[in-house]
Amino acid sequence: FTNAGMNQFKDVFLCTGSRDYTRAANSQKCIRAGGKHNDLEDVGTDTYHHTFFEMLGNWSFGDYFKAEAIEWAWELLTQRWGIDPSRLHATYFQGDEHEGLAPDDEARNFWRRFLPDERIHKGNKKDNFWEMGDTGPCGPCSEIHYDGTPDKNGDAFINKDNPNVIEIWNLVFMQYNRDSGGKLSALPAKHVDTGMGLERITRILQGKQSNYDTDLFTQILNAIGILCNQQYTGTMEKKDIAFRVIADHLRTLVFAITDGCTPSNDGR
Ligand code: SER
Protein backbone atom coordinates (compact mmCIF):
# COMPACT_ATOMS: atom_id res chain seq x y z
CA PHE A 1 0.00 0.00 0.00
CA THR A 2 1.06 3.55 -0.64
CA ASN A 3 0.30 6.80 1.16
CA ALA A 4 -0.35 8.61 -2.13
CA GLY A 5 -1.10 7.97 -5.76
CA MET A 6 2.35 9.03 -6.88
CA ASN A 7 4.52 6.42 -5.19
CA GLN A 8 4.47 3.88 -7.98
CA PHE A 9 5.48 6.61 -10.45
CA LYS A 10 8.49 7.74 -8.45
CA ASP A 11 10.92 6.23 -10.96
CA VAL A 12 9.27 8.14 -13.82
CA PHE A 13 9.59 11.43 -11.94
CA LEU A 14 13.24 10.71 -11.20
CA CYS A 15 13.84 9.62 -14.82
CA THR A 16 15.19 6.29 -13.64
CA GLY A 17 12.24 4.50 -15.25
CA SER A 18 9.64 5.16 -17.89
CA ARG A 19 6.20 4.08 -19.10
CA ASP A 20 4.91 3.89 -22.62
CA TYR A 21 2.58 6.84 -21.96
CA THR A 22 3.09 10.41 -20.78
CA ARG A 23 -0.40 11.04 -19.38
CA ALA A 24 -2.53 8.92 -17.11
CA ALA A 25 -5.60 8.98 -14.87
CA ASN A 26 -6.12 6.47 -12.10
CA SER A 27 -7.68 5.51 -8.81
CA GLN A 28 -5.13 4.51 -6.20
CA LYS A 29 -5.86 2.66 -2.98
CA CYS A 30 -4.06 4.58 -0.21
CA ILE A 31 -3.55 3.86 3.46
CA ARG A 32 -2.49 6.68 5.77
CA ALA A 33 -2.15 5.03 9.15
CA GLY A 34 1.55 5.66 9.81
CA GLY A 35 4.58 7.49 8.46
CA LYS A 36 4.70 11.05 7.14
CA HIS A 37 1.08 11.33 6.05
CA ASN A 38 -0.65 9.77 9.01
CA ASP A 39 -4.36 10.52 9.43
CA LEU A 40 -5.03 7.85 12.05
CA GLU A 41 -5.69 10.18 14.99
CA ASP A 42 -8.19 12.30 13.05
CA VAL A 43 -10.31 9.36 12.00
CA GLY A 44 -13.73 9.30 13.61
CA THR A 45 -13.23 12.55 15.52
CA ASP A 46 -13.90 14.34 12.26
CA THR A 47 -16.02 13.54 9.22
CA TYR A 48 -13.48 13.63 6.41
CA HIS A 49 -10.22 11.80 7.26
CA HIS A 50 -9.77 8.09 6.68
CA THR A 51 -7.08 5.50 7.22
CA PHE A 52 -8.01 4.14 3.78
CA PHE A 53 -9.15 6.21 0.85
CA GLU A 54 -9.25 6.02 -2.90
CA MET A 55 -7.19 8.76 -4.46
CA LEU A 56 -8.26 9.85 -7.91
CA GLY A 57 -5.34 11.21 -9.87
CA ASN A 58 -4.33 12.60 -13.21
CA TRP A 59 -0.73 12.55 -14.27
CA SER A 60 1.65 14.25 -16.59
CA PHE A 61 5.05 12.71 -17.05
CA GLY A 62 7.02 15.56 -18.63
CA ASP A 63 3.89 16.43 -20.65
CA TYR A 64 1.34 19.11 -19.64
CA PHE A 65 2.02 21.30 -16.60
CA LYS A 66 0.38 23.94 -14.39
CA ALA A 67 -1.84 25.72 -16.92
CA GLU A 68 -3.55 22.58 -18.14
CA ALA A 69 -3.76 20.92 -14.73
CA ILE A 70 -5.53 23.95 -13.28
CA GLU A 71 -7.79 24.51 -16.27
CA TRP A 72 -8.87 20.88 -16.49
CA ALA A 73 -9.48 20.63 -12.74
CA TRP A 74 -11.71 23.67 -12.96
CA GLU A 75 -13.52 22.30 -16.00
CA LEU A 76 -14.17 18.92 -14.39
CA LEU A 77 -15.46 20.35 -11.11
CA THR A 78 -17.58 23.19 -12.42
CA GLN A 79 -18.64 22.22 -15.94
CA ARG A 80 -18.75 18.43 -15.95
CA TRP A 81 -19.84 17.91 -12.35
CA GLY A 82 -21.71 21.18 -11.92
CA ILE A 83 -20.19 22.18 -8.57
CA ASP A 84 -21.09 25.77 -7.69
CA PRO A 85 -17.95 27.78 -8.66
CA SER A 86 -18.62 30.32 -5.92
CA ARG A 87 -17.96 27.58 -3.34
CA LEU A 88 -14.47 26.85 -4.63
CA HIS A 89 -11.21 28.27 -3.30
CA ALA A 90 -7.64 27.59 -4.41
CA THR A 91 -4.33 27.81 -2.58
CA TYR A 92 -0.80 28.28 -3.93
CA PHE A 93 2.69 27.98 -2.44
CA GLN A 94 3.85 31.22 -0.81
CA GLY A 95 7.54 30.31 -1.15
CA ASP A 96 10.07 29.49 1.54
CA GLU A 97 13.17 31.55 2.17
CA HIS A 98 14.98 28.83 4.07
CA GLU A 99 14.55 26.42 1.14
CA GLY A 100 15.39 29.15 -1.40
CA LEU A 101 11.98 28.72 -3.07
CA ALA A 102 10.07 31.62 -4.62
CA PRO A 103 6.28 32.01 -4.34
CA ASP A 104 4.36 30.10 -7.01
CA ASP A 105 3.01 33.19 -8.77
CA GLU A 106 2.53 31.17 -11.91
CA ALA A 107 -0.11 28.95 -10.28
CA ARG A 108 -1.66 32.00 -8.64
CA ASN A 109 -2.00 33.73 -12.00
CA PHE A 110 -3.53 30.69 -13.64
CA TRP A 111 -6.13 30.56 -10.86
CA ARG A 112 -6.94 34.24 -11.48
CA ARG A 113 -8.47 33.16 -14.78
CA PHE A 114 -11.22 31.40 -12.81
CA LEU A 115 -11.33 32.78 -9.28
CA PRO A 116 -11.39 36.25 -7.70
CA ASP A 117 -8.33 37.17 -5.62
CA GLU A 118 -10.19 36.79 -2.33
CA ARG A 119 -10.66 33.09 -3.07
CA ILE A 120 -7.02 32.45 -3.95
CA HIS A 121 -5.02 31.92 -0.77
CA LYS A 122 -1.31 31.57 -0.18
CA GLY A 123 -0.07 28.68 1.92
CA ASN A 124 3.16 27.65 3.59
CA LYS A 125 5.41 24.64 3.09
CA LYS A 126 3.29 22.45 5.34
CA ASP A 127 0.16 22.81 3.20
CA ASN A 128 1.50 23.81 -0.21
CA PHE A 129 4.70 21.92 -0.81
CA TRP A 130 4.04 18.23 -1.26
CA GLU A 131 6.53 15.52 -0.35
CA MET A 132 5.77 11.83 -0.01
CA GLY A 133 8.41 11.33 2.67
CA ASP A 134 11.75 12.72 3.84
CA THR A 135 13.33 12.20 0.44
CA GLY A 136 12.16 11.89 -3.15
CA PRO A 137 10.29 13.82 -5.82
CA CYS A 138 8.36 16.84 -4.55
CA GLY A 139 7.08 20.24 -5.53
CA PRO A 140 4.78 23.16 -4.85
CA CYS A 141 1.11 22.34 -4.82
CA SER A 142 -2.16 24.08 -5.32
CA GLU A 143 -5.13 22.75 -3.41
CA ILE A 144 -8.79 23.17 -4.25
CA HIS A 145 -11.07 23.61 -1.25
CA TYR A 146 -14.84 23.42 -1.05
CA ASP A 147 -16.76 25.86 1.12
CA GLY A 148 -19.82 24.04 2.41
CA THR A 149 -20.84 26.72 4.92
CA PRO A 150 -24.49 27.83 4.59
CA ASP A 151 -23.63 31.45 3.70
CA LYS A 152 -20.33 30.75 1.89
CA ASN A 153 -18.26 32.51 4.53
CA GLY A 154 -15.55 29.86 4.58
CA ASP A 155 -12.66 32.16 3.58
CA ALA A 156 -11.16 32.22 7.05
CA PHE A 157 -11.41 28.44 7.48
CA ILE A 158 -9.18 27.20 4.67
CA ASN A 159 -6.83 24.57 6.15
CA LYS A 160 -8.19 25.30 9.65
CA ASP A 161 -9.77 21.89 10.33
CA ASN A 162 -13.30 23.11 9.73
CA PRO A 163 -15.56 20.21 8.72
CA ASN A 164 -17.51 22.41 6.31
CA VAL A 165 -14.49 23.80 4.48
CA ILE A 166 -12.44 20.92 3.18
CA GLU A 167 -9.69 20.29 0.70
CA ILE A 168 -10.99 18.17 -2.17
CA TRP A 169 -8.13 18.08 -4.66
CA ASN A 170 -4.41 18.63 -4.56
CA LEU A 171 -2.55 19.54 -7.74
CA VAL A 172 1.16 18.93 -7.27
CA PHE A 173 3.70 20.37 -9.64
CA MET A 174 6.59 17.93 -9.36
CA GLN A 175 9.76 19.87 -9.98
CA TYR A 176 12.31 18.85 -7.35
CA ASN A 177 13.99 15.90 -5.75
CA ARG A 178 14.99 16.02 -2.08
CA ASP A 179 18.14 14.04 -1.26
CA SER A 180 18.98 12.39 2.05
CA GLY A 181 20.86 15.53 3.14
CA GLY A 182 17.63 17.52 2.71
CA LYS A 183 18.88 19.38 -0.35
CA LEU A 184 16.50 20.12 -3.22
CA SER A 185 17.59 19.78 -6.82
CA ALA A 186 15.57 20.28 -10.00
CA LEU A 187 14.14 17.15 -11.62
CA PRO A 188 15.17 16.54 -15.25
CA ALA A 189 11.55 17.24 -16.34
CA LYS A 190 8.41 18.78 -14.85
CA HIS A 191 5.44 16.61 -14.00
CA VAL A 192 1.90 16.80 -12.63
CA ASP A 193 0.55 14.62 -9.81
CA THR A 194 -2.99 15.33 -8.68
CA GLY A 195 -4.91 13.63 -5.93
CA MET A 196 -8.61 13.90 -5.13
CA GLY A 197 -10.24 11.87 -2.39
CA LEU A 198 -13.12 9.79 -3.77
CA GLU A 199 -14.80 9.89 -0.35
CA ARG A 200 -14.72 13.70 -0.19
CA ILE A 201 -15.85 14.38 -3.74
CA THR A 202 -18.63 11.81 -3.31
CA ARG A 203 -19.82 13.71 -0.27
CA ILE A 204 -20.00 16.95 -2.23
CA LEU A 205 -21.66 15.42 -5.27
CA GLN A 206 -24.20 13.66 -3.05
CA GLY A 207 -24.86 16.91 -1.14
CA LYS A 208 -23.84 15.53 2.28
CA GLN A 209 -22.11 17.20 5.22
CA SER A 210 -20.03 14.18 6.13
CA ASN A 211 -18.16 11.50 4.17
CA TYR A 212 -19.88 8.99 6.46
CA ASP A 213 -23.29 10.06 5.15
CA THR A 214 -22.45 8.94 1.62
CA ASP A 215 -23.30 5.56 0.17
CA LEU A 216 -19.64 4.56 0.58
CA PHE A 217 -20.30 4.27 4.32
CA THR A 218 -24.00 4.09 5.13
CA GLN A 219 -24.34 0.35 4.64
CA ILE A 220 -21.30 -0.32 6.81
CA LEU A 221 -22.66 1.96 9.56
CA ASN A 222 -26.07 0.27 9.34
CA ALA A 223 -24.49 -3.16 9.69
CA ILE A 224 -22.46 -2.07 12.73
CA GLY A 225 -25.66 -0.67 14.23
CA ILE A 226 -27.47 -3.98 13.82
CA LEU A 227 -24.61 -5.91 15.44
CA CYS A 228 -24.33 -3.44 18.35
CA ASN A 229 -28.03 -2.78 18.71
CA GLN A 230 -27.31 0.95 18.44
CA GLN A 231 -27.93 3.58 15.83
CA TYR A 232 -25.44 5.91 14.16
CA THR A 233 -26.69 9.49 14.52
CA GLY A 234 -23.78 11.43 13.01
CA THR A 235 -22.94 13.53 16.07
CA MET A 236 -19.56 14.30 17.65
CA GLU A 237 -20.43 12.18 20.69
CA LYS A 238 -18.30 9.21 21.67
CA LYS A 239 -20.73 6.63 20.40
CA ASP A 240 -20.80 8.13 16.91
CA ILE A 241 -17.03 8.61 16.90
CA ALA A 242 -16.72 4.91 17.66
CA PHE A 243 -19.12 4.08 14.82
CA ARG A 244 -16.98 6.11 12.41
CA VAL A 245 -13.72 4.58 13.65
CA ILE A 246 -15.08 1.05 13.27
CA ALA A 247 -16.54 1.76 9.82
CA ASP A 248 -13.30 3.36 8.64
CA HIS A 249 -11.06 0.63 10.01
CA LEU A 250 -13.29 -2.14 8.68
CA ARG A 251 -13.07 -0.68 5.23
CA THR A 252 -9.28 -0.36 5.49
CA LEU A 253 -8.93 -3.95 6.60
CA VAL A 254 -11.29 -5.32 3.97
CA PHE A 255 -9.32 -3.60 1.21
CA ALA A 256 -6.02 -4.68 2.78
CA ILE A 257 -7.07 -8.30 3.20
CA THR A 258 -8.47 -8.54 -0.33
CA ASP A 259 -5.14 -7.20 -1.56
CA GLY A 260 -3.31 -9.96 0.27
CA CYS A 261 -2.36 -8.47 3.67
CA THR A 262 -2.81 -10.53 6.79
CA PRO A 263 -3.46 -8.31 9.79
CA SER A 264 -1.90 -9.22 13.13
CA ASN A 265 -1.26 -7.61 16.49
CA ASP A 266 2.43 -7.23 15.75
CA GLY A 267 3.94 -4.13 14.12
CA ARG A 268 2.04 -2.18 11.46
N1 SER B 1 0.61 13.44 -4.01
C1 SER B 1 -0.41 14.41 -3.67
C2 SER B 1 -1.17 14.01 -2.46
O1 SER B 1 -1.09 12.88 -2.03
C3 SER B 1 -1.36 14.62 -4.83
O2 SER B 1 -1.74 13.42 -5.41
O3 SER B 1 -1.88 14.80 -1.92
Side-chain angles (χ1 to χ4, degrees), residues 216-227:
L216 291 166
F217 284 95
T218 45
Q219 290 195 41
I220 305 172
L221 291 163
N222 288 343
I224 296 167
I226 290 166
L227 289 172

Side-chain angles (χ1 to χ4, degrees), residues 1-59:
F1 283 100
T2 65
N3 65 7
M6 63 150 285
N7 302 35
Q8 72 275 36
F9 293 124
K10 194 177 157 187
D11 61 329
V12 188
F13 293 143
L14 293 173
C15 269
T16 57
S18 65
R19 304 289 186 275
D20 56 7
Y21 46 84
T22 57
R23 296 176 175 190
N26 69 351
S27 170
Q28 171 65 44
K29 291 177 265 190
C30 295
I31 291 187
R32 289 190 176 175
K36 180 172 163 64
H37 296 276
N38 182 0
D39 291 334
L40 185 62
E41 299 306 329
D42 291 321
V43 171
T45 60
D46 75 17
T47 54
Y48 56 100
H49 281 100
H50 302 291
T51 52
F52 168 83
F53 66 102
E54 293 186 65
M55 188 178 274
L56 312 178
N58 60 288
W59 308 88

Side-chain angles (χ1 to χ4, degrees), residues 22 24 41 50 62 67 70 74 91-92 97 114 128 147 153 156 199 208 229 231-232 242 253:
T22 57
E41 299 306 329
H50 302 291
I70 290 172
W74 185 259
T91 64
Y92 69 95
E97 219 170 290
F114 307 108
N128 285 94
D147 178 357
N153 69 347
E199 297 73 8
K208 306 292 184 191
N229 204 21
Q231 203 169 356
Y232 176 65
L253 288 171

Side-chain angles (χ1 to χ4, degrees), residues 18-218:
S18 65
R19 304 289 186 275
D20 56 7
Y21 46 84
T22 57
R23 296 176 175 190
N26 69 351
S27 170
Q28 171 65 44
K29 291 177 265 190
C30 295
I31 291 187
R32 289 190 176 175
K36 180 172 163 64
H37 296 276
N38 182 0
D39 291 334
L40 185 62
E41 299 306 329
D42 291 321
V43 171
T45 60
D46 75 17
T47 54
Y48 56 100
H49 281 100
H50 302 291
T51 52
F52 168 83
F53 66 102
E54 293 186 65
M55 188 178 274
L56 312 178
N58 60 288
W59 308 88
S60 160
F61 307 115
D63 192 306
Y64 63 85
F65 202 46
K66 291 181 195 177
E68 295 88 344
I70 290 172
E71 184 184 333
W72 295 342
W74 185 259
E75 180 188 326
L76 178 62
L77 295 175
T78 62
Q79 290 166 38
R80 310 278 161 159
W81 287 347
I83 293 177
D84 177 356
S86 67
R87 292 204 171 272
L88 296 176
H89 293 246
T91 64
Y92 69 95
F93 180 50
Q94 68 186 23
D96 188 288
E97 219 170 290
H98 179 70
E99 299 270 16
L101 296 170
D104 190 356
D105 288 329
E106 218 184 350
R108 183 185 189 192
N109 286 331
F110 287 131
W111 279 118
R112 281 185 160 147
R113 291 158 57 190
F114 307 108
L115 288 168
D117 279 348
E118 61 273 19
R119 282 194 281 124
I120 305 173
H121 311 261
K122 63 182 180 191
N124 60 19
K125 203 171 87 170
K126 179 181 150 285
D127 292 318
N128 285 94
F129 192 87
W130 204 85
E131 313 193 47
M132 66 183 250
D134 295 335
T135 60
C138 51
C141 62
S142 209
E143 298 173 341
I144 303 171
H145 293 249
Y146 180 80
D147 178 357
T149 57
D151 46 4
K152 300 184 195 172
N153 69 347
D155 298 51
F157 305 123
I158 305 291
N159 279 325
K160 296 279 190 309
D161 297 328
N162 184 304
N164 291 319
V165 185
I166 57 167
E167 177 197 344
I168 50 173
W169 201 352
N170 189 15
L171 316 182
V172 183
F173 311 118
M174 288 288 173
Q175 283 175 261
Y176 303 101
N177 181 39
R178 193 183 291 282
D179 68 22
S180 51
K183 199 171 146 295
L184 291 175
S185 56
L187 288 171
K190 292 176 179 171
H191 315 273
V192 170
D193 148 25
T194 86
M196 168 161 54
L198 173 71
E199 297 73 8
R200 292 188 186 184
I201 198 68
T202 300
R203 156 184 169 179
I204 287 157
L205 294 177
Q206 293 184 356
K208 306 292 184 191
Q209 307 272 302
S210 158
N211 294 9
Y212 294 88
D213 291 341
T214 70
D215 57 4
L216 291 166
F217 284 95
T218 45

